C-alpha cells in the first residue's frame, strides 16, 4: 500500500479535533478511505512519532488501529500543513520540482511557503 499524504493530513486533523483525552479516532472515522487503509497509515504515523495509536492484527484479520492523540511532533507537523493554501502549494512545489514527498521535504517546503506568505 502506498503512503497517502492527504490521508495522513486528514488523520492528523481528525485527531486534533477530538473533544477530549478520552476520545479516540477509529479507522472507519475517515470518510472515503477503507478501515484497512486508515489503519495502515495510523501504524506508520505511530512509528514516525506523529501520533499515539494502538494496533492489532490477528492471524485471519486485517490490521486494525485506533489513534488516541497527537504527539508534540504531530502537532508541530500539522501546524505547518493545516492551512489548505500552504498544503496545496507544498504539493505543487513538490510536483514542479520532481521531488517525492517525505516528512523532511514537507517540512522544508512548508517553511518556504510560510516564509513567502509572511514576507
Amino acid at each position: 500500500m502506498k503512503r497517502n499524504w492527504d490521508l495522513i493530513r486528514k488523520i492528523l486533523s481528525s485527531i486534533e479535533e477530538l473533544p477530549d483525552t478520552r476520545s479516540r479516532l477509529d479507522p472507519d472515522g475517515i470518510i472515503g478511505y477503507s478501515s484497512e487503509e486508515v489503519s495502515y497509515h495510523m501504524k506508520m504515523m505511530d512509528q514516525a512519532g506523529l501520533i499515539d495509536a494502538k494496533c492489532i492484527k490477528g492471524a485471519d484479520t486485517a490490521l486494525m488501529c485506533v489513534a488516541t492523540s497527537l504527539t508534540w511532533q504531530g502537532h508541530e507537523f500539522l501546524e505547518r500543513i493545516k492551512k489548505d493554501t500552504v498544503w496545496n502549494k507544498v504539493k505543487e512545489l513538490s510536483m514542479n520540482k520532481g521531488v517525492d514527498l517525505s516528512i523532511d521535504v514537507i517540512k522544508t517546503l512548508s517553511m518556504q511557503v510560510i516564509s513567502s506568505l509572511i514576507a
Side-chain angles (χ1 to χ4, degrees), residues 47-97:
Q47 291 170 338
L50 297 176
I51 67 172
D52 288 323
K54 305 292 182 239
C55 299
I56 57 169
K57 181 171 177 17
D60 296 330
T61 60
L63 177 67
M64 181 66 94
C65 296
V66 295
T68 55
S69 64
L70 297 177
T71 63
W72 184 270
Q73 291 288 76
H75 278 285
E76 292 291 309
F77 186 70
L78 178 59
E79 286 303 317
R80 291 175 181 231
I81 60 171
K82 188 185 292 187
K83 299 285 185 198
D84 288 339
T85 52
V86 173
W87 178 238
N88 291 332
K89 189 67 175 172
V90 165
K91 291 191 302 183
E92 178 187 327
L93 286 170
S94 170
M95 210 156 94
N96 289 344
K97 297 186 182 287

Side-chain angles (χ1 to χ4, degrees), residues 32-48:
Y33 298 92
S34 71
S35 292
E36 188 173 5
E37 188 175 11
V38 173
S39 288
Y40 177 79
H41 282 77
M42 284 180 178
K43 181 178 179 185
M44 285 193 304
M45 295 166 70
D46 184 59
Q47 291 170 338

